[in-house]
Amino acid sequence: MASDEVFMKGDIAVFAAEMKKLINNKETGDIRFLIGPNRKPIFAHRCILAARCDVFRAMFADQAQKNTTQDAEIPFVLSDITPDIFLALMEFLYTNCVTLNGKIAIDVLGSSIEYGLEELRKLCVEYLIDNLSVNNAAETMQASVTYGQDELRDKTMDYIEQNTENIFKTKGFHEMSEEAISYVMTSDKLDIDEVDVISAVREWATVNSVVIGKPITEVSKSVAQHIRLPLLSPDELTEVEKENKKDNLIPVECVSFAWKFHVFKKGEKGNALTTKRKGTKPRESHKGLDAL
């Protein structure tokens, strides 16, 4: 490179706007996809997709090995992705930008990982973090666990800790997996009392018991182990034990451990079950915890 050569950037927004016109362009496209269960046709350009995405490059190379004109004209069928998600993917590949909204952001995140598009993944994570709300926090936490997104998980956990009670009442909370809800339940910073935690977990377990057709005991076992029963007063624990006989939400050994705490009036240092949460209401029985 000559010493006086300088890489100059033009207007990226103008470039993106012009390139966007090529998306799903039937006149100039040289490849056709059939997308979703209804097989909606979407047109694209081999050279752009191959240059921008290793997955598409491999897809086209596999087709080229057959080396027949007839094969080249056969559309690619992608039934496991919806047209709106696929078009968002195309927008990124053509323009290096993407238009996201609350309905598609999580699915686009999943597709970005599937197609190995790291920069698109980062954009999706940024969008989801910037748009956290009470109504979508549980769903976003689920996505972070499902797709192994640590930054998204940590930021969403911060938000849940600040808005715990309201989030625990949402539909999204009831739809969380055992793994995701167990992760949330390990936090000391949840702004909610344990009585309300039990109520929320019981609702979650009841909903999931119906959905997957398994007993509440089986559905709730791994999650219920994170309920901090020692934080309840003896009277509250007695009521919980009575209620528990109806559905066996909480394993017997967890209840026994809580009664053991009340007998000896001493918590276990480093044991999460005897550690108060941010939202734990004060009780006379907490003297043993406060002494730790």
Side-chain angles (χ1 to χ4, degrees), residues 44-83:
H45 302 77
R46 288 174 183 269
C47 59
I48 294 177
L49 269 56
R52 293 277 286 153
C53 177
D54 290 341
V55 173
F56 282 119
R57 185 183 304 119
M59 190 185 299
F60 301 152
D62 181 63
Q63 185 190 61
Q65 286 181 353
K66 298 175 182 179
N67 198 27
T68 68
T69 303
Q70 183 180 8
D71 285 339
E73 294 174 353
I74 296 176
F76 288 93
V77 179
L78 301 177
S79 57
D80 60 346
I81 186 171
T82 61

Side-chain angles (χ1 to χ4, degrees), residues 224-231 254 257 270-275 289:
Q225 291 176 352
H226 297 288
I227 296 176
R228 304 182 181 186
L229 291 178
L231 302 184
C254 295
F257 177 81
N271 189 331
L273 297 180
T274 58
T275 301
L289 302 176

Side-chain angles (χ1 to χ4, degrees), residues 105-111 113-114 121 128 140-150 152:
I106 289 176
D107 288 330
V108 175
L109 171 63
S111 292
I113 296 170
E114 180 182 355
R121 182 198 67 79
L128 290 168
T140 303
M141 174 57 76
Q142 181 61 60
S144 73
V145 172
T146 299
Y147 298 122
Q149 301 300 299
D150 293 347
L152 181 60

Side-chain angles (χ1 to χ4, degrees), residues 228-282:
R228 304 182 181 186
L229 291 178
L231 302 184
L232 304 179
S233 69
D235 288 344
E236 290 170 327
L237 186 55
T238 298
E239 289 302 313
V240 167
E241 196 168 18
K242 289 179 180 178
E243 188 69 22
N244 200 54
K245 290 179 180 179
K246 301 176 184 178
D247 57 17
N248 295 312
L249 174 77
I250 305 169
V252 174
E253 57 268 26
C254 295
V255 179
S256 298
F257 177 81
W259 280 121
K260 179 182 176 182
F261 161 76
H262 286 298
V263 169
F264 293 100
K265 302 185 185 306
K266 185 178 180 181
E268 295 182 3
K269 191 171 184 179
N271 189 331
L273 297 180
T274 58
T275 301
K276 291 191 289 186
R277 302 186 196 271
K278 176 184 175 182
T280 301
K281 295 177 181 177

